[in-house]
mmCIF file with all atom_site columns, all heavy atoms in Angstrom:
data_model
loop_
_atom_site.group_PDB
_atom_site.id
_atom_site.type_symbol
_atom_site.label_atom_id
_atom_site.label_alt_id
_atom_site.label_comp_id
_atom_site.label_asym_id
_atom_site.label_entity_id
_atom_site.label_seq_id
_atom_site.pdbx_PDB_ins_code
_atom_site.Cartn_x
_atom_site.Cartn_y
_atom_site.Cartn_z
_atom_site.occupancy
_atom_site.B_iso_or_equiv
_atom_site.pdbx_formal_charge
_atom_site.auth_seq_id
_atom_site.auth_comp_id
_atom_site.auth_asym_id
_atom_site.auth_atom_id
_atom_site.pdbx_PDB_model_num
ATOM 1   N N   . VAL U 1 20  ? 7.957   0.657   -0.616  1.00 0.00 ? 614  VAL U N   1
ATOM 2   C CA  . VAL U 1 20  ? 7.933   -0.806  -0.660  1.00 0.00 ? 614  VAL U CA  1
ATOM 3   C C   . VAL U 1 20  ? 8.229   -1.247  -2.104  1.00 0.00 ? 614  VAL U C   1
ATOM 4   O O   . VAL U 1 20  ? 7.993   -0.562  -3.076  1.00 0.00 ? 614  VAL U O   1
ATOM 5   C CB  . VAL U 1 20  ? 6.650   -1.407  -0.149  1.00 0.00 ? 614  VAL U CB  1
ATOM 6   C CG1 . VAL U 1 20  ? 6.368   -1.091  1.309   1.00 0.00 ? 614  VAL U CG1 1
ATOM 7   C CG2 . VAL U 1 20  ? 5.497   -1.033  -1.070  1.00 0.00 ? 614  VAL U CG2 1
ATOM 8   N N   . VAL U 1 21  ? 8.711   -2.490  -2.208  1.00 0.00 ? 615  VAL U N   1
ATOM 9   C CA  . VAL U 1 21  ? 9.239   -2.999  -3.450  1.00 0.00 ? 615  VAL U CA  1
ATOM 10  C C   . VAL U 1 21  ? 8.122   -3.047  -4.544  1.00 0.00 ? 615  VAL U C   1
ATOM 11  O O   . VAL U 1 21  ? 8.351   -2.784  -5.717  1.00 0.00 ? 615  VAL U O   1
ATOM 12  C CB  . VAL U 1 21  ? 9.953   -4.325  -3.254  1.00 0.00 ? 615  VAL U CB  1
ATOM 13  C CG1 . VAL U 1 21  ? 9.010   -5.455  -2.918  1.00 0.00 ? 615  VAL U CG1 1
ATOM 14  C CG2 . VAL U 1 21  ? 10.791  -4.726  -4.519  1.00 0.00 ? 615  VAL U CG2 1
ATOM 15  N N   . SER U 1 22  ? 6.946   -3.427  -4.134  1.00 0.00 ? 616  SER U N   1
ATOM 16  C CA  . SER U 1 22  ? 5.862   -3.570  -5.130  1.00 0.00 ? 616  SER U CA  1
ATOM 17  C C   . SER U 1 22  ? 5.472   -2.202  -5.779  1.00 0.00 ? 616  SER U C   1
ATOM 18  O O   . SER U 1 22  ? 5.269   -2.008  -6.948  1.00 0.00 ? 616  SER U O   1
ATOM 19  C CB  . SER U 1 22  ? 4.582   -4.124  -4.505  1.00 0.00 ? 616  SER U CB  1
ATOM 20  O OG  . SER U 1 22  ? 4.084   -3.337  -3.471  1.00 0.00 ? 616  SER U OG  1
ATOM 21  N N   . HIS U 1 23  ? 5.557   -1.197  -4.883  1.00 0.00 ? 617  HIS U N   1
ATOM 22  C CA  . HIS U 1 23  ? 5.252   0.127   -5.394  1.00 0.00 ? 617  HIS U CA  1
ATOM 23  C C   . HIS U 1 23  ? 6.413   0.637   -6.304  1.00 0.00 ? 617  HIS U C   1
ATOM 24  O O   . HIS U 1 23  ? 6.115   1.167   -7.390  1.00 0.00 ? 617  HIS U O   1
ATOM 25  C CB  . HIS U 1 23  ? 5.150   1.088   -4.134  1.00 0.00 ? 617  HIS U CB  1
ATOM 26  C CG  . HIS U 1 23  ? 4.633   2.505   -4.464  1.00 0.00 ? 617  HIS U CG  1
ATOM 27  N ND1 . HIS U 1 23  ? 4.765   3.551   -3.619  1.00 0.00 ? 617  HIS U ND1 1
ATOM 28  C CD2 . HIS U 1 23  ? 4.035   2.960   -5.611  1.00 0.00 ? 617  HIS U CD2 1
ATOM 29  C CE1 . HIS U 1 23  ? 4.243   4.613   -4.119  1.00 0.00 ? 617  HIS U CE1 1
ATOM 30  N NE2 . HIS U 1 23  ? 3.746   4.313   -5.352  1.00 0.00 ? 617  HIS U NE2 1
ATOM 31  N N   . LEU U 1 26  ? 6.144   -1.412  -9.645  1.00 0.00 ? 620  LEU U N   1
ATOM 32  C CA  . LEU U 1 26  ? 4.884   -1.073  -10.438 1.00 0.00 ? 620  LEU U CA  1
ATOM 33  C C   . LEU U 1 26  ? 5.156   0.260   -11.167 1.00 0.00 ? 620  LEU U C   1
ATOM 34  O O   . LEU U 1 26  ? 4.743   0.415   -12.307 1.00 0.00 ? 620  LEU U O   1
ATOM 35  C CB  . LEU U 1 26  ? 3.714   -0.962  -9.542  1.00 0.00 ? 620  LEU U CB  1
ATOM 36  C CG  . LEU U 1 26  ? 3.155   -2.336  -9.103  1.00 0.00 ? 620  LEU U CG  1
ATOM 37  C CD1 . LEU U 1 26  ? 2.132   -2.151  -7.967  1.00 0.00 ? 620  LEU U CD1 1
ATOM 38  C CD2 . LEU U 1 26  ? 2.464   -3.099  -10.341 1.00 0.00 ? 620  LEU U CD2 1
ATOM 39  N N   . ILE U 1 53  ? -5.784  -11.476 -12.893 1.00 0.00 ? 647  ILE U N   1
ATOM 40  C CA  . ILE U 1 53  ? -6.185  -11.854 -11.496 1.00 0.00 ? 647  ILE U CA  1
ATOM 41  C C   . ILE U 1 53  ? -7.721  -11.963 -11.431 1.00 0.00 ? 647  ILE U C   1
ATOM 42  O O   . ILE U 1 53  ? -8.221  -12.885 -10.866 1.00 0.00 ? 647  ILE U O   1
ATOM 43  C CB  . ILE U 1 53  ? -5.611  -10.844 -10.603 1.00 0.00 ? 647  ILE U CB  1
ATOM 44  C CG1 . ILE U 1 53  ? -4.032  -10.817 -10.631 1.00 0.00 ? 647  ILE U CG1 1
ATOM 45  C CG2 . ILE U 1 53  ? -6.115  -10.997 -9.137  1.00 0.00 ? 647  ILE U CG2 1
ATOM 46  C CD1 . ILE U 1 53  ? -3.451  -9.697  -9.861  1.00 0.00 ? 647  ILE U CD1 1
ATOM 47  N N   . PHE U 1 147 ? 2.103   3.160   0.200   1.00 0.00 ? 741  PHE U N   1
ATOM 48  C CA  . PHE U 1 147 ? 2.676   1.919   -0.409  1.00 0.00 ? 741  PHE U CA  1
ATOM 49  C C   . PHE U 1 147 ? 1.992   1.682   -1.832  1.00 0.00 ? 741  PHE U C   1
ATOM 50  O O   . PHE U 1 147 ? 1.698   0.450   -2.131  1.00 0.00 ? 741  PHE U O   1
ATOM 51  C CB  . PHE U 1 147 ? 2.496   0.685   0.495   1.00 0.00 ? 741  PHE U CB  1
ATOM 52  C CG  . PHE U 1 147 ? 3.220   0.943   1.806   1.00 0.00 ? 741  PHE U CG  1
ATOM 53  C CD1 . PHE U 1 147 ? 2.790   0.221   2.966   1.00 0.00 ? 741  PHE U CD1 1
ATOM 54  C CD2 . PHE U 1 147 ? 4.384   1.792   1.939   1.00 0.00 ? 741  PHE U CD2 1
ATOM 55  C CE1 . PHE U 1 147 ? 3.393   0.438   4.185   1.00 0.00 ? 741  PHE U CE1 1
ATOM 56  C CE2 . PHE U 1 147 ? 4.921   1.950   3.138   1.00 0.00 ? 741  PHE U CE2 1
ATOM 57  C CZ  . PHE U 1 147 ? 4.514   1.292   4.327   1.00 0.00 ? 741  PHE U CZ  1
ATOM 58  N N   . GLY U 1 148 ? 1.646   2.615   -2.541  1.00 0.00 ? 742  GLY U N   1
ATOM 59  C CA  . GLY U 1 148 ? 1.146   2.396   -3.873  1.00 0.00 ? 742  GLY U CA  1
ATOM 60  C C   . GLY U 1 148 ? -0.256  1.687   -3.805  1.00 0.00 ? 742  GLY U C   1
ATOM 61  O O   . GLY U 1 148 ? -1.184  2.170   -3.174  1.00 0.00 ? 742  GLY U O   1
ATOM 62  N N   . LEU U 1 149 ? -0.307  0.537   -4.455  1.00 0.00 ? 743  LEU U N   1
ATOM 63  C CA  . LEU U 1 149 ? -1.593  -0.140  -4.536  1.00 0.00 ? 743  LEU U CA  1
ATOM 64  C C   . LEU U 1 149 ? -1.931  -0.953  -3.228  1.00 0.00 ? 743  LEU U C   1
ATOM 65  O O   . LEU U 1 149 ? -3.049  -1.447  -3.034  1.00 0.00 ? 743  LEU U O   1
ATOM 66  C CB  . LEU U 1 149 ? -1.581  -1.245  -5.655  1.00 0.00 ? 743  LEU U CB  1
ATOM 67  C CG  . LEU U 1 149 ? -1.433  -0.647  -7.060  1.00 0.00 ? 743  LEU U CG  1
ATOM 68  C CD1 . LEU U 1 149 ? -1.596  -1.729  -8.125  1.00 0.00 ? 743  LEU U CD1 1
ATOM 69  C CD2 . LEU U 1 149 ? -2.354  0.541   -7.363  1.00 0.00 ? 743  LEU U CD2 1
ATOM 70  N N   . MET U 1 150 ? -1.049  -0.971  -2.262  1.00 0.00 ? 744  MET U N   1
ATOM 71  C CA  . MET U 1 150 ? -1.287  -1.638  -1.033  1.00 0.00 ? 744  MET U CA  1
ATOM 72  C C   . MET U 1 150 ? -2.358  -0.969  -0.180  1.00 0.00 ? 744  MET U C   1
ATOM 73  O O   . MET U 1 150 ? -3.191  -1.699  0.418   1.00 0.00 ? 744  MET U O   1
ATOM 74  C CB  . MET U 1 150 ? -0.003  -1.755  -0.121  1.00 0.00 ? 744  MET U CB  1
ATOM 75  C CG  . MET U 1 150 ? 1.015   -2.623  -0.809  1.00 0.00 ? 744  MET U CG  1
ATOM 76  S SD  . MET U 1 150 ? 0.903   -4.235  -0.217  1.00 0.00 ? 744  MET U SD  1
ATOM 77  C CE  . MET U 1 150 ? 2.492   -4.229  0.703   1.00 0.00 ? 744  MET U CE  1
ATOM 78  N N   . ARG U 1 151 ? -2.377  0.320   -0.131  1.00 0.00 ? 745  ARG U N   1
ATOM 79  C CA  . ARG U 1 151 ? -3.409  0.991   0.616   1.00 0.00 ? 745  ARG U CA  1
ATOM 80  C C   . ARG U 1 151 ? -3.781  2.237   -0.148  1.00 0.00 ? 745  ARG U C   1
ATOM 81  O O   . ARG U 1 151 ? -3.275  3.295   0.131   1.00 0.00 ? 745  ARG U O   1
ATOM 82  C CB  . ARG U 1 151 ? -2.962  1.330   2.105   1.00 0.00 ? 745  ARG U CB  1
ATOM 83  C CG  . ARG U 1 151 ? -3.946  2.066   2.875   1.00 0.00 ? 745  ARG U CG  1
ATOM 84  C CD  . ARG U 1 151 ? -3.642  2.161   4.343   1.00 0.00 ? 745  ARG U CD  1
ATOM 85  N NE  . ARG U 1 151 ? -3.645  0.905   4.917   1.00 0.00 ? 745  ARG U NE  1
ATOM 86  C CZ  . ARG U 1 151 ? -4.655  0.230   5.346   1.00 0.00 ? 745  ARG U CZ  1
ATOM 87  N NH1 . ARG U 1 151 ? -5.785  0.784   5.286   1.00 0.00 ? 745  ARG U NH1 1
ATOM 88  N NH2 . ARG U 1 151 ? -4.546  -1.005  5.939   1.00 0.00 ? 745  ARG U NH2 1
ATOM 89  N N   . VAL U 1 212 ? -1.483  -12.582 2.673   1.00 0.00 ? 806  VAL U N   1
ATOM 90  C CA  . VAL U 1 212 ? -0.335  -12.897 1.880   1.00 0.00 ? 806  VAL U CA  1
ATOM 91  C C   . VAL U 1 212 ? 0.854   -12.596 2.780   1.00 0.00 ? 806  VAL U C   1
ATOM 92  O O   . VAL U 1 212 ? 0.997   -11.446 3.338   1.00 0.00 ? 806  VAL U O   1
ATOM 93  C CB  . VAL U 1 212 ? -0.294  -12.077 0.610   1.00 0.00 ? 806  VAL U CB  1
ATOM 94  C CG1 . VAL U 1 212 ? 1.019   -12.331 -0.112  1.00 0.00 ? 806  VAL U CG1 1
ATOM 95  C CG2 . VAL U 1 212 ? -1.446  -12.454 -0.272  1.00 0.00 ? 806  VAL U CG2 1
ATOM 96  N N   . SER U 1 216 ? 6.628   -6.721  4.478   1.00 0.00 ? 810  SER U N   1
ATOM 97  C CA  . SER U 1 216 ? 6.119   -5.411  4.295   1.00 0.00 ? 810  SER U CA  1
ATOM 98  C C   . SER U 1 216 ? 4.619   -5.284  4.696   1.00 0.00 ? 810  SER U C   1
ATOM 99  O O   . SER U 1 216 ? 4.049   -4.268  4.639   1.00 0.00 ? 810  SER U O   1
ATOM 100 C CB  . SER U 1 216 ? 6.216   -4.973  2.851   1.00 0.00 ? 810  SER U CB  1
ATOM 101 O OG  . SER U 1 216 ? 5.605   -5.872  2.001   1.00 0.00 ? 810  SER U OG  1
ATOM 102 N N   . ILE U 1 407 ? -0.223  -9.315  4.469   1.00 0.00 ? 1001 ILE U N   1
ATOM 103 C CA  . ILE U 1 407 ? -1.020  -8.337  3.747   1.00 0.00 ? 1001 ILE U CA  1
ATOM 104 C C   . ILE U 1 407 ? -2.457  -8.917  3.687   1.00 0.00 ? 1001 ILE U C   1
ATOM 105 O O   . ILE U 1 407 ? -2.597  -9.945  3.023   1.00 0.00 ? 1001 ILE U O   1
ATOM 106 C CB  . ILE U 1 407 ? -0.438  -8.063  2.388   1.00 0.00 ? 1001 ILE U CB  1
ATOM 107 C CG1 . ILE U 1 407 ? 1.075   -7.675  2.437   1.00 0.00 ? 1001 ILE U CG1 1
ATOM 108 C CG2 . ILE U 1 407 ? -1.170  -7.028  1.614   1.00 0.00 ? 1001 ILE U CG2 1
ATOM 109 C CD1 . ILE U 1 407 ? 1.750   -7.797  1.089   1.00 0.00 ? 1001 ILE U CD1 1
ATOM 110 N N   . VAL U 1 446 ? -8.464  -6.817  -5.006  1.00 0.00 ? 1040 VAL U N   1
ATOM 111 C CA  . VAL U 1 446 ? -7.937  -7.335  -6.275  1.00 0.00 ? 1040 VAL U CA  1
ATOM 112 C C   . VAL U 1 446 ? -6.646  -6.526  -6.576  1.00 0.00 ? 1040 VAL U C   1
ATOM 113 O O   . VAL U 1 446 ? -5.567  -7.054  -6.912  1.00 0.00 ? 1040 VAL U O   1
ATOM 114 C CB  . VAL U 1 446 ? -8.910  -7.163  -7.502  1.00 0.00 ? 1040 VAL U CB  1
ATOM 115 C CG1 . VAL U 1 446 ? -8.312  -7.720  -8.756  1.00 0.00 ? 1040 VAL U CG1 1
ATOM 116 C CG2 . VAL U 1 446 ? -10.206 -7.965  -7.152  1.00 0.00 ? 1040 VAL U CG2 1
ATOM 117 N N   . SER U 1 447 ? -6.793  -5.142  -6.594  1.00 0.00 ? 1041 SER U N   1
ATOM 118 C CA  . SER U 1 447 ? -5.558  -4.349  -6.855  1.00 0.00 ? 1041 SER U CA  1
ATOM 119 C C   . SER U 1 447 ? -4.536  -4.555  -5.769  1.00 0.00 ? 1041 SER U C   1
ATOM 120 O O   . SER U 1 447 ? -3.310  -4.524  -6.139  1.00 0.00 ? 1041 SER U O   1
ATOM 121 C CB  . SER U 1 447 ? -5.960  -2.922  -7.026  1.00 0.00 ? 1041 SER U CB  1
ATOM 122 O OG  . SER U 1 447 ? -6.825  -2.447  -6.041  1.00 0.00 ? 1041 SER U OG  1
ATOM 123 N N   . ARG U 1 448 ? -4.906  -4.688  -4.526  1.00 0.00 ? 1042 ARG U N   1
ATOM 124 C CA  . ARG U 1 448 ? -3.882  -4.967  -3.496  1.00 0.00 ? 1042 ARG U CA  1
ATOM 125 C C   . ARG U 1 448 ? -3.214  -6.313  -3.765  1.00 0.00 ? 1042 ARG U C   1
ATOM 126 O O   . ARG U 1 448 ? -1.984  -6.434  -3.515  1.00 0.00 ? 1042 ARG U O   1
ATOM 127 C CB  . ARG U 1 448 ? -4.574  -4.940  -2.141  1.00 0.00 ? 1042 ARG U CB  1
ATOM 128 C CG  . ARG U 1 448 ? -3.633  -5.269  -0.996  1.00 0.00 ? 1042 ARG U CG  1
ATOM 129 C CD  . ARG U 1 448 ? -4.332  -5.347  0.333   1.00 0.00 ? 1042 ARG U CD  1
ATOM 130 N NE  . ARG U 1 448 ? -4.555  -3.993  0.890   1.00 0.00 ? 1042 ARG U NE  1
ATOM 131 C CZ  . ARG U 1 448 ? -5.097  -3.733  2.057   1.00 0.00 ? 1042 ARG U CZ  1
ATOM 132 N NH1 . ARG U 1 448 ? -5.554  -4.722  2.752   1.00 0.00 ? 1042 ARG U NH1 1
ATOM 133 N NH2 . ARG U 1 448 ? -5.350  -2.505  2.448   1.00 0.00 ? 1042 ARG U NH2 1
ATOM 134 N N   . LEU U 1 449 ? -3.943  -7.204  -4.240  1.00 0.00 ? 1043 LEU U N   1
ATOM 135 C CA  . LEU U 1 449 ? -3.337  -8.517  -4.665  1.00 0.00 ? 1043 LEU U CA  1
ATOM 136 C C   . LEU U 1 449 ? -2.163  -8.416  -5.597  1.00 0.00 ? 1043 LEU U C   1
ATOM 137 O O   . LEU U 1 449 ? -1.182  -9.035  -5.504  1.00 0.00 ? 1043 LEU U O   1
ATOM 138 C CB  . LEU U 1 449 ? -4.417  -9.484  -5.209  1.00 0.00 ? 1043 LEU U CB  1
ATOM 139 C CG  . LEU U 1 449 ? -4.981  -10.542 -4.357  1.00 0.00 ? 1043 LEU U CG  1
ATOM 140 C CD1 . LEU U 1 449 ? -6.113  -11.360 -5.186  1.00 0.00 ? 1043 LEU U CD1 1
ATOM 141 C CD2 . LEU U 1 449 ? -3.914  -11.503 -3.823  1.00 0.00 ? 1043 LEU U CD2 1
ATOM 142 N N   . MET U 1 450 ? -2.439  -7.540  -6.576  1.00 0.00 ? 1044 MET U N   1
ATOM 143 C CA  . MET U 1 450 ? -1.385  -7.334  -7.529  1.00 0.00 ? 1044 MET U CA  1
ATOM 144 C C   . MET U 1 450 ? -0.137  -6.854  -6.886  1.00 0.00 ? 1044 MET U C   1
ATOM 145 O O   . MET U 1 450 ? 0.944   -7.413  -7.255  1.00 0.00 ? 1044 MET U O   1
ATOM 146 C CB  . MET U 1 450 ? -1.825  -6.347  -8.592  1.00 0.00 ? 1044 MET U CB  1
ATOM 147 C CG  . MET U 1 450 ? -0.890  -6.101  -9.754  1.00 0.00 ? 1044 MET U CG  1
ATOM 148 S SD  . MET U 1 450 ? -1.715  -5.563  -11.229 1.00 0.00 ? 1044 MET U SD  1
ATOM 149 C CE  . MET U 1 450 ? -1.448  -3.814  -11.166 1.00 0.00 ? 1044 MET U CE  1
ATOM 150 N N   . ALA U 1 451 ? -0.255  -5.968  -5.943  1.00 0.00 ? 1045 ALA U N   1
ATOM 151 C CA  . ALA U 1 451 ? 0.967   -5.502  -5.192  1.00 0.00 ? 1045 ALA U CA  1
ATOM 152 C C   . ALA U 1 451 ? 1.527   -6.651  -4.329  1.00 0.00 ? 1045 ALA U C   1
ATOM 153 O O   . ALA U 1 451 ? 2.747   -6.876  -4.263  1.00 0.00 ? 1045 ALA U O   1
ATOM 154 C CB  . ALA U 1 451 ? 0.604   -4.301  -4.327  1.00 0.00 ? 1045 ALA U CB  1
ATOM 155 N N   . ALA U 1 452 ? 0.571   -7.424  -3.689  1.00 0.00 ? 1046 ALA U N   1
ATOM 156 C CA  . ALA U 1 452 ? 0.996   -8.456  -2.804  1.00 0.00 ? 1046 ALA U CA  1
ATOM 157 C C   . ALA U 1 452 ? 1.800   -9.545  -3.517  1.00 0.00 ? 1046 ALA U C   1
ATOM 158 O O   . ALA U 1 452 ? 2.805   -10.150 -3.027  1.00 0.00 ? 1046 ALA U O   1
ATOM 159 C CB  . ALA U 1 452 ? -0.199  -9.028  -2.010  1.00 0.00 ? 1046 ALA U CB  1
ATOM 160 N N   . ILE U 1 453 ? 1.403   -9.820  -4.772  1.00 0.00 ? 1047 ILE U N   1
ATOM 161 C CA  . ILE U 1 453 ? 2.065   -10.924 -5.537  1.00 0.00 ? 1047 ILE U CA  1
ATOM 162 C C   . ILE U 1 453 ? 3.437   -10.388 -5.801  1.00 0.00 ? 1047 ILE U C   1
ATOM 163 O O   . ILE U 1 453 ? 4.406   -11.207 -5.650  1.00 0.00 ? 1047 ILE U O   1
ATOM 164 C CB  . ILE U 1 453 ? 1.292   -11.170 -6.878  1.00 0.00 ? 1047 ILE U CB  1
ATOM 165 C CG1 . ILE U 1 453 ? -0.019  -11.800 -6.553  1.00 0.00 ? 1047 ILE U CG1 1
ATOM 166 C CG2 . ILE U 1 453 ? 2.151   -12.011 -7.739  1.00 0.00 ? 1047 ILE U CG2 1
ATOM 167 C CD1 . ILE U 1 453 ? -1.035  -11.822 -7.742  1.00 0.00 ? 1047 ILE U CD1 1
ATOM 168 N N   . ILE U 1 454 ? 3.627   -9.159  -6.119  1.00 0.00 ? 1048 ILE U N   1
ATOM 169 C CA  . ILE U 1 454 ? 4.969   -8.576  -6.354  1.00 0.00 ? 1048 ILE U CA  1
ATOM 170 C C   . ILE U 1 454 ? 5.844   -8.700  -5.093  1.00 0.00 ? 1048 ILE U C   1
ATOM 171 O O   . ILE U 1 454 ? 7.000   -8.944  -5.209  1.00 0.00 ? 1048 ILE U O   1
ATOM 172 C CB  . ILE U 1 454 ? 4.866   -7.198  -6.969  1.00 0.00 ? 1048 ILE U CB  1
ATOM 173 C CG1 . ILE U 1 454 ? 4.234   -7.243  -8.293  1.00 0.00 ? 1048 ILE U CG1 1
ATOM 174 C CG2 . ILE U 1 454 ? 6.306   -6.593  -7.139  1.00 0.00 ? 1048 ILE U CG2 1
ATOM 175 C CD1 . ILE U 1 454 ? 3.942   -5.890  -8.889  1.00 0.00 ? 1048 ILE U CD1 1
ATOM 176 N N   . GLU U 1 455 ? 5.228   -8.341  -4.019  1.00 0.00 ? 1049 GLU U N   1
ATOM 177 C CA  . GLU U 1 455 ? 5.993   -8.410  -2.710  1.00 0.00 ? 1049 GLU U CA  1
ATOM 178 C C   . GLU U 1 455 ? 6.614   -9.777  -2.533  1.00 0.00 ? 1049 GLU U C   1
ATOM 179 O O   . GLU U 1 455 ? 7.691   -9.966  -2.049  1.00 0.00 ? 1049 GLU U O   1
ATOM 180 C CB  . GLU U 1 455 ? 5.115   -8.126  -1.546  1.00 0.00 ? 1049 GLU U CB  1
ATOM 181 C CG  . GLU U 1 455 ? 4.640   -6.666  -1.420  1.00 0.00 ? 1049 GLU U CG  1
ATOM 182 C CD  . GLU U 1 455 ? 5.802   -5.683  -1.190  1.00 0.00 ? 1049 GLU U CD  1
ATOM 183 O OE1 . GLU U 1 455 ? 6.702   -6.050  -0.478  1.00 0.00 ? 1049 GLU U OE1 1
ATOM 184 O OE2 . GLU U 1 455 ? 5.780   -4.547  -1.799  1.00 0.00 ? 1049 GLU U OE2 1
ATOM 185 N N   . GLN U 1 456 ? 5.873   -10.882 -2.982  1.00 0.00 ? 1050 GLN U N   1
ATOM 186 C CA  . GLN U 1 456 ? 6.450   -12.174 -2.888  1.00 0.00 ? 1050 GLN U CA  1
ATOM 187 C C   . GLN U 1 456 ? 7.247   -12.652 -4.067  1.00 0.00 ? 1050 GLN U C   1
ATOM 188 O O   . GLN U 1 456 ? 8.185   -13.432 -3.880  1.00 0.00 ? 1050 GLN U O   1
ATOM 189 C CB  . GLN U 1 456 ? 5.322   -13.247 -2.672  1.00 0.00 ? 1050 GLN U CB  1
ATOM 190 C CG  . GLN U 1 456 ? 4.771   -13.301 -1.255  1.00 0.00 ? 1050 GLN U CG  1
ATOM 191 C CD  . GLN U 1 456 ? 3.918   -14.451 -1.065  1.00 0.00 ? 1050 GLN U CD  1
ATOM 192 O OE1 . GLN U 1 456 ? 3.593   -15.237 -1.993  1.00 0.00 ? 1050 GLN U OE1 1
ATOM 193 N NE2 . GLN U 1 456 ? 3.396   -14.591 0.171   1.00 0.00 ? 1050 GLN U NE2 1
ATOM 194 N N   . ARG U 1 457 ? 6.987   -12.020 -5.255  1.00 0.00 ? 1051 ARG U N   1
ATOM 195 C CA  . ARG U 1 457 ? 7.654   -12.594 -6.397  1.00 0.00 ? 1051 ARG U CA  1
ATOM 196 C C   . ARG U 1 457 ? 8.444   -11.501 -7.140  1.00 0.00 ? 1051 ARG U C   1
ATOM 197 O O   . ARG U 1 457 ? 7.914   -10.849 -8.083  1.00 0.00 ? 1051 ARG U O   1
ATOM 198 C CB  . ARG U 1 457 ? 6.598   -13.175 -7.419  1.00 0.00 ? 1051 ARG U CB  1
ATOM 199 C CG  . ARG U 1 457 ? 5.603   -14.062 -6.718  1.00 0.00 ? 1051 ARG U CG  1
ATOM 200 C CD  . ARG U 1 457 ? 5.709   -15.445 -7.082  1.00 0.00 ? 1051 ARG U CD  1
ATOM 201 N NE  . ARG U 1 457 ? 6.275   -15.734 -8.408  1.00 0.00 ? 1051 ARG U NE  1
ATOM 202 C CZ  . ARG U 1 457 ? 6.186   -16.885 -8.989  1.00 0.00 ? 1051 ARG U CZ  1
ATOM 203 N NH1 . ARG U 1 457 ? 5.484   -17.870 -8.421  1.00 0.00 ? 1051 ARG U NH1 1
ATOM 204 N NH2 . ARG U 1 457 ? 6.782   -17.060 -10.143 1.00 0.00 ? 1051 ARG U NH2 1
ATOM 205 N N   . TRP U 1 465 ? 6.678   -12.576 -12.360 1.00 0.00 ? 1059 TRP U N   1
ATOM 206 C CA  . TRP U 1 465 ? 5.319   -13.008 -12.324 1.00 0.00 ? 1059 TRP U CA  1
ATOM 207 C C   . TRP U 1 465 ? 5.176   -14.520 -12.481 1.00 0.00 ? 1059 TRP U C   1
ATOM 208 O O   . TRP U 1 465 ? 5.940   -15.086 -13.294 1.00 0.00 ? 1059 TRP U O   1
ATOM 209 C CB  . TRP U 1 465 ? 4.485   -12.391 -13.535 1.00 0.00 ? 1059 TRP U CB  1
ATOM 210 C CG  . TRP U 1 465 ? 4.300   -10.945 -13.481 1.00 0.00 ? 1059 TRP U CG  1
ATOM 211 C CD1 . TRP U 1 465 ? 4.748   -10.017 -14.363 1.00 0.00 ? 1059 TRP U CD1 1
ATOM 212 C CD2 . TRP U 1 465 ? 3.436   -10.291 -12.509 1.00 0.00 ? 1059 TRP U CD2 1
ATOM 213 N NE1 . TRP U 1 465 ? 4.290   -8.742  -13.996 1.00 0.00 ? 1059 TRP U NE1 1
ATOM 214 C CE2 . TRP U 1 465 ? 3.519   -8.863  -12.901 1.00 0.00 ? 1059 TRP U CE2 1
ATOM 215 C CE3 . TRP U 1 465 ? 2.742   -10.593 -11.448 1.00 0.00 ? 1059 TRP U CE3 1
ATOM 216 C CZ2 . TRP U 1 465 ? 2.821   -7.873  -12.097 1.00 0.00 ? 1059 TRP U CZ2 1
ATOM 217 C CZ3 . TRP U 1 465 ? 2.079   -9.662  -10.680 1.00 0.00 ? 1059 TRP U CZ3 1
ATOM 218 C CH2 . TRP U 1 465 ? 2.139   -8.303  -11.029 1.00 0.00 ? 1059 TRP U CH2 1
#
Side-chain angles (χ1 to χ4, degrees):
Chain U
V614 300
V615 69
S616 61
H617 190 196
L620 285 166
I647 296 170
F741 302 152
L743 298 188
M744 291 265 248
R745 180 169 295 281
V806 172
S810 56
I1001 304 164
V1040 184
S1041 44
R1042 178 182 281 181
L1043 256 179
M1044 184 152 97
I1047 293 167
I1048 296 173
E1049 289 295 325
Q1050 278 192 0
R1051 312 245 338 192
W1059 293 117

